[in-house]
Amino acid sequence: MTSDTTPSGAPQRRWQAACPNCGATVEFASAASASAVCSYCRSSLLREGDALRKIGLSAELIEDYSPLQIGASGRYAGAPFTVVGRQQIAYAEGSWNEWHVLFDGGAAGPRSGWLAEDNGSYVMAFEAPLSETAPKAQELILDRTLQLAGQRWTVAAVTLCHVRAAQGELPHPPVLGAERQYLVAELRGPGNEVGSLDFSPSLQASSAAPIWSLGRAIRLDAMAMQGLREEASSNKDLKSRSLECPSCGAALTPSLSSTRSIVCGQCHAVVDISQGAGADLEHYAQNNGMEPQLRLGSTGMLPTESGQAITWQVVGYQERCDLPESSEDEQTFWREYLLYNKVEGFAFLVDTEEGWSLVRPLTGAPVSSRGERIDWGGKSYKKRWTYQAKVTYVLGEFYWQVSREQRALVSDYEGQGEARQMLLSREQTDNEVVWSLGRKLDAAVVARAFKLAPERAAALGRDASSLSDGGGLLRKILIAVFILLVLVLLLRACSRDDCQAYKDSYGEASAEYQQCRRGGARFSSGGGSYGGSSGGSYGGSYGGYSSGGGGHK
């Protein structure tokens, strides 16, 4: 038994033993930790009293160039912690890391937590007991609301996954291997919190309840982290990450450690690099789109939610369109720029027909309050529309796995009252719901932020429908001409005198003409009367309208 210190200077008990597979020393920072992975032979080891037993073998970790590493330390809510282990979780669209952190608990002993990745940012989460019965896995349906741990949650994701690899010290023995898949349900709450129900394979045999954990979003700089991968080393690692495009052979060099998809600058193939450099790189070709108005790699000063302006870099670009429900609905197109800041993480600068907005993903989820209205952050938002959207073209690199014509069901909400400059957006795919919060921006603000030349700045205020083939504008003109023509015909018909022949032959004062006027005009020979009391139809051949209905636009 040895003694060591935490970042706070307090003594912390450590325990070590020999790996039963290779004999190397395996060290535990916490007496409460149940498992560890040997750093030499990757044996997964279970602690049993003063001995270790091999229970499996971890695969090699995929190099994901995370800034975190074992041994890094920081502070959360005033308490010091150290990163002592991690699990690399794989699922159909890639993988994510969950870093095991150990807090100095003082007299109560060390406390475990999880520092996990979440949509390009981080969440600090802690396991906790549930006072009520947890829902069964089959009861967790995407976007369903439920009461758990004393509050209301929305099911934001249900993911089938497995532990691909593990490293260091862990609070539970990992069940490794692609054949040991299990469900993880992600819940989002109105307090900007995220909950997780983990139906790990280690629990299935014992019929135990799922592991419940509760977390909040956190920035790395807010935790005063030390011992991270050195920036120079990280940059060197990223440069050495250069890959060969599987389509044309050109070099692919991602600039961010979190990149999962990258577009070849030579042939514009979209390449999935989420499985690591040693894997076969899946890719697909795409048709060329528009030239981005904000160039990849350019930087601009735009404000965060607090109002403080910070520098954002354009790292990705995508063009999207809605999918009209019928051929009579007009299709709309828009652009989205993926922005990155080392401290704040990712944001989206969105360019639509209605203007610009700066949008960021939320950790939590709003609560539906009154029909088409929802509440978030003490402000009310009203739904404007819901539509299907798809991605048509991408450039740059992205922290998620991009797939061909990626589709989502989108609902847009607009702030009410003092929040009228704010926007909320909900996007749902097959297995995930993501909420985002945005603020409207003037095109002039975007132009100044990215220091655009006057001729380029003027183009920012253009209608985003230029992404289409121009059919939308032509369709509007044709509809306007058609409506005008119909109005002219209506006016001519309303002013026409059906007794004009009698008037011309016998004169306006003649009995024939007056009898014709008293008898009423005939609109058709067999279609009944317009507006009569007999229930006749507005039909026949009057005004060119079809008696079958429809087409009355």
Side-chain angles (χ1 to χ4, degrees), residues 340-361:
Y340 176 75
N341 175 273
K342 184 178 179 180
V343 173
E344 294 289 337
F346 293 95
F348 294 86
L349 187 57
V350 183
D351 174 20
T352 73
E353 294 181 0
E354 295 189 337
W356 292 76
S357 57
L358 184 64
V359 180
R360 302 187 69 186

Side-chain angles (χ1 to χ4, degrees), residues 316-385:
Y317 166 80
Q318 60 179 356
E319 294 174 5
R320 303 179 74 185
C321 69
D322 70 341
L323 301 175
E325 294 182 356
S326 73
S327 59
E328 294 183 352
D329 294 333
E330 183 178 355
Q331 190 171 33
T332 57
F333 298 77
W334 66 95
R335 299 178 171 104
E336 296 180 357
Y337 298 86
L338 180 62
L339 308 182
Y340 176 75
N341 175 273
K342 184 178 179 180
V343 173
E344 294 289 337
F346 293 95
F348 294 86
L349 187 57
V350 183
D351 174 20
T352 73
E353 294 181 0
E354 295 189 337
W356 292 76
S357 57
L358 184 64
V359 180
R360 302 187 69 186
L362 293 175
T363 300
V367 174
S368 178
S369 58
R370 303 172 300 279
E372 299 288 283
R373 294 177 181 266
I374 58 173
D375 294 328
W376 178 259
K379 298 179 175 64
S380 178
Y381 296 80
K382 184 178 180 180
K383 182 189 286 188
R384 297 192 66 190
W385 41 61

Side-chain angles (χ1 to χ4, degrees), residues 2-178:
T2 62
S3 177
D4 206 342
T5 59
T6 67
S8 63
Q12 180 169 290
R13 297 172 67 83
R14 309 181 76 88
W15 180 86
Q16 61 184 32
C19 172
N21 186 61
C22 70
T25 299
V26 179
E27 189 172 82
F28 287 78
S30 169
S33 295
S35 178
V37 176
C38 177
S39 59
Y40 290 90
C41 67
R42 305 197 314 276
S43 292
S44 177
L45 307 171
L46 179 65
R47 182 174 175 179
E48 295 178 327
D50 291 334
L52 295 174
R53 177 167 62 90
K54 181 179 177 180
I55 59 174
L57 183 67
S58 171
E60 288 191 31
L61 291 160
I62 289 179
E63 177 54 82
D64 52 17
Y65 306 93
S66 170
L68 295 171
Q69 61 182 351
I70 290 180
S73 61
R75 301 182 74 87
Y76 178 79
F81 68 84
T82 303
V83 179
V84 296
R86 74 160 155 171
Q87 294 186 131
Q88 200 166 67
I89 313 296
Y91 67 114
E93 297 179 0
S95 64
W96 76 87
N97 286 315
E98 293 180 349
W99 296 87
H100 178 212
V101 299
L102 200 61
F103 287 81
D104 173 23
R111 180 191 183 194
S112 289
W114 292 99
L115 186 55
E117 299 166 357
D118 179 57
N119 286 327
S121 59
Y122 295 91
V123 166
M124 181 67 81
F126 299 93
E127 295 177 9
L130 283 173
S131 58
E132 63 266 64
T133 301
K136 294 180 173 61
Q138 59 269 26
E139 297 174 345
L140 295 166
I141 299 174
L142 195 64
D143 206 34
R144 174 175 289 183
T145 59
L146 54 88
Q147 285 289 134
L148 198 63
Q151 71 177 70
R152 185 180 180 185
W153 299 90
T154 301
V155 180
V158 180
T159 306
L160 187 65
C161 59
H162 68 272
V163 181
R164 172 190 292 165
Q167 179 187 25
E169 182 178 340
L170 301 168
H172 311 289
V175 181
L176 299 157

